[in-house]
Amino acid sequence: MTEVSKVGQTQTAQQAQKAQAPKGGMQPDARLEIREGMRVADVEANGSEAQKLVAAAFDEIDAETRKGDGIYDKHEAVNFNDFRFALDKNKKELRAHNKNTGCTMIIKYNSLEELQNKDNLYMLRRIDNTNYYSGGEITHDYRNKKATYDGVTGDKSLINSCYDEFEEVTFKNSSMDSIDAQYFSGKLNIQNTKNVGTFWDSDTEIHVTEGKEPIINADADSKIEIKRW
């Protein structure tokens, strides 16, 4: 982990914070500290390059209007500040490390427009919640239509309709209570994955929809139980 130097910010009179680098050797972007009451437009104008791209993803959508209000409340600001970003436009890769959960998400995109798609960034916010994931790396490779969970721990992983763009999802070296794969009909690879306990390991439950099930490939080092609905 390395530090980045402080960088002045204009208009908002905020100061960039020291940040730990996301895993993978990429240097973190000097970032803008997000405050309660700050507008999404302020971050899109004055944040780091990565923050500008993901700013709208942290403005949670209202269930009725299906839109954000354009202003960060306290909860949204805290969630945003938990992340350290590194953007490599040459590799077309965004790394987001969550200092709260220790989980890193890697997004390999085709275009910046695809990266800014709020549906694609929805899963990014989940690595801020230890009930979903902690530790390890999650890779969303939109170029090759694959998603990989490596070394993560979590209660429940949702890979159903959110994963329409992926043809293959892999869990490896992970501890998961359950994987919700309802309505996912691609390939689901399970490698050295189970529900790791203090005294013994139990099965990772895989929830599928009968008649529209993924192709499940599990190795001998995994423990799974398929639940059909």
Side-chain angles (χ1 to χ4, degrees):
M1 299 295 186
T2 60
E3 292 187 340
V4 294
S5 59
K6 293 182 179 180
V7 178
Q9 297 288 344
T10 61
Q11 297 182 22
T12 60
Q14 299 296 325
Q15 193 171 39
Q17 305 295 307
K18 291 183 179 181
Q20 292 182 323
K23 297 176 183 178
M26 295 170 63
Q27 294 298 314
D29 294 346
R31 67 187 185 88
L32 184 67
E33 181 76 9
I34 311 302
R35 304 294 177 89
E36 180 182 3
M38 186 179 289
R39 299 181 306 160
V40 174
D42 294 332
V43 180
E44 290 175 335
N46 303 298
S48 71
E49 192 166 14
Q51 284 180 314
K52 291 176 181 179
L53 292 170
V54 304
F58 290 90
D59 181 23
E60 296 183 7
I61 296 174
D62 181 84
E64 293 184 4
T65 65
R66 305 301 300 166
K67 295 180 180 179
D69 63 3
I71 299 174
Y72 298 112
D73 61 23
K74 183 177 181 180
H75 172 73
E76 293 166 342
V78 169
N79 286 353
F80 205 162
N81 286 328
D82 281 342
F83 285 85
R84 302 295 180 267
F85 298 99
L87 178 67
D88 188 329
K89 291 199 294 186
N90 292 324
K91 291 184 177 180
K92 294 184 178 180
E93 182 173 305
L94 172 70
R95 287 177 177 260
H97 178 72
N98 189 281
K99 65 183 183 65
N100 181 43
T101 64
C103 188
T104 299
M105 174 165 277
I106 303 161
I107 301 176
K108 298 181 179 182
Y109 56 91
N110 292 292
S111 66
L112 291 177
E113 290 75 20
E114 179 184 61
L115 180 60
Q116 287 180 284
N117 185 312
K118 289 188 73 170
D119 290 335
N120 293 346
L121 291 171
Y122 173 73
M123 294 298 293
L124 175 64
R125 297 209 315 263
R126 291 203 166 173
I127 71 170
D128 193 48
N129 187 330
T130 53
N131 289 331
Y132 285 107
Y133 311 110
S134 60
E137 289 187 349
I138 300 172
T139 302
H140 282 182
D141 184 351
Y142 290 100
R143 294 195 292 271
N144 294 299
K145 299 183 178 181
K146 295 181 178 181
T148 303
Y149 293 72
D150 188 357
V152 301
T153 298
D155 290 342
K156 184 177 184 178
S157 179
L158 299 172
I159 62 165
N160 44 30
S161 59
C162 299
Y163 276 65
D164 288 342
E165 296 185 61
F166 297 107
E167 297 174 351
E168 186 172 347
V169 178
T170 299
F171 285 82
K172 60 182 181 180
N173 309 316
S174 295
S175 174
M176 295 298 306
D177 180 65
S178 66
I179 299 170
D180 185 349
Q182 294 187 70
Y183 305 108
F184 175 70
S185 56
K187 294 181 181 179
L188 179 57
N189 304 314
I190 310 294
Q191 302 168 4
N192 189 31
T193 292
K194 55 188 76 74
N195 187 8
V196 178
T198 304
F199 300 106
W200 61 80
D201 301 335
S202 57
D203 294 341
T204 294
E205 291 186 358
I206 301 179
H207 300 165
V208 301
T209 300
E210 193 166 2
K212 192 177 182 182
E213 301 178 17
I215 300 170
I216 300 176
N217 299 305
D219 66 9
D221 295 320
S222 300
K223 293 172 68 70
I224 66 169
E225 180 182 5
I226 299 175
K227 298 276 191 176
R228 292 180 172 85
W229 304 91

